[in-house]
């Protein structure tokens, strides 16, 4: 559950190719309605695919990290002042690309599960119809909470602790959201092997969350390896929705929502790393005395067996070449 610390709403107005800011003069009151709106936006943001994750850029000219630092370290927190300065950043970056139609810009500082966050979302109005008390109809403008295209989240706690990834934003298609990335000052450079390993771990977690039996999990992860392997050979970037449709055609939304959750910090748009993909279905281990590498299928078929009480592995169907080497070196009887 979100515990809201402060809320602010400003407006980003567009006229032709020029942007201007209309600042609020006071913070938004934290009412049950405001809490519901922020909870809805946060939930929708978590479920959206095509997010990018990263950290504050070290490039010159990006003021966001400094503004955040001033806010966090101040004895008296001035959220209205912070968000007003951030609006200036937003208008400047929007003007460089004229990619946004503008709208109401929601800023929320909230706590969730022991961490502090700032959520930024641009929400527009939509025309709806309401019934009057006399059963007539009238047009009303409402917030289009489902239709927001630009949003980002800063994990203030992870940032303060020096973690690698604490920023995220909706990437969308093409370069349309680049201005929002630049407004946040986010460096989302993709490390293919690291991102692939994160995705592999998430897919394994999904089999556990879904309580798949061993054979079902192995089949699922094998399909994922095949899908990602083809993407690697074709040099095609990963998209979660497409992958979910391929791996779970009967319930793709379940997988895409699992992968999209912001706290998993999974990037999209990277070409899978070939060596990292193999860890989907292979297990490796070693000590100073030995190294072992086997597939999940070997466990499913009892070709490799683990004795939990003895903490030991038994390997069956040992290849003849290995037996010959041991025999030649006098390790077993002729």
């Amino acid at each position: 559950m979100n515990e809201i610390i402060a809320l602010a709403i400003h407006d980003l107005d567009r006229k032709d190719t020029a942007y201007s800011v209309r600042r609020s003069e006071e913070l938004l009151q934290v009412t049950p309605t405001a809490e519901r709106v922020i909870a809805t936006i946060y939930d929708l943001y978590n479920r959206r695919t095509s997010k990018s994750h990263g950290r504050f850029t070290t490039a010159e000219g990006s003021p966001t990290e400094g503004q955040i630092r001033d806010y966090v370290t101040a004895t008296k927190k001035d959220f209205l002042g912070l968000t007003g300065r951030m609006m200036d950043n937003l208008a400047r970056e929007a003007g460089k690309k004229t990619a946004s139609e503008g709208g109401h810009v929601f800023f929320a500082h909230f706590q969730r599960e022991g961490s502090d966050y700032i959520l930024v979302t641009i929400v527009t109005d939509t025309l709806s119809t309401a019934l009057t008390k006399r059963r007539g109809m009238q047009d009303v403008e409402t917030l289009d909470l489902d239709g927001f295209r630009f949003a980002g989240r800063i994990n203030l706690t992870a940032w303060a602790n020096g973690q690698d990834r604490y920023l995220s934003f909706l990437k969308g298609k093409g370069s349309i959201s680049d201005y929002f990335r630049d407004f946040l000052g986010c460096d989302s450079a993709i490390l293919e092997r690291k991102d692939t390993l994160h995705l592999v771990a998430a897919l394994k977690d999904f089999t556990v969350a879904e309580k798949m039996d061993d054979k079902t999990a192995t089949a699922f992860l094998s399909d994922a390896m095949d899908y990602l392997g083809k993407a690697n050979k074709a040099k095609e970037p990963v998209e979660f929705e497409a992958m979910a449709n391929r791996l779970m055609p009967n319930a793709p939304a379940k997988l895409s929502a699992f992968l999209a959750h912001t706290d998993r910090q999974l990037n999209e748009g990277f070409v899978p790393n070939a060596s990292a993909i193999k860890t989907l279905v292979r297990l490796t281990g070693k000590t100073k005395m030995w190294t072992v590498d086997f597939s999940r299928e070997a466990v499913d078929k009892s070709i490799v067996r683990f004795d939990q009480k003895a903490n030991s592995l038994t390997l069956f169907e040992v290849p003849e070449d290995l037996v010959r080497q041991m025999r030649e070196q006098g390790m077993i009887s002729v």
Side-chain angles (χ1 to χ4, degrees), residues 63-74:
T64 308
E65 183 174 20
Q67 293 168 349
I68 294 292
R69 181 176 288 107
D70 290 343
Y71 169 72
V72 170
T73 57

Side-chain angles (χ1 to χ4, degrees), residues 158-172:
W159 166 68
N161 292 337
Q163 296 183 19
D164 286 337
R165 290 180 177 176
Y166 43 79
L167 267 173
S168 64
F169 65 97
L170 291 180
K171 188 170 59 173

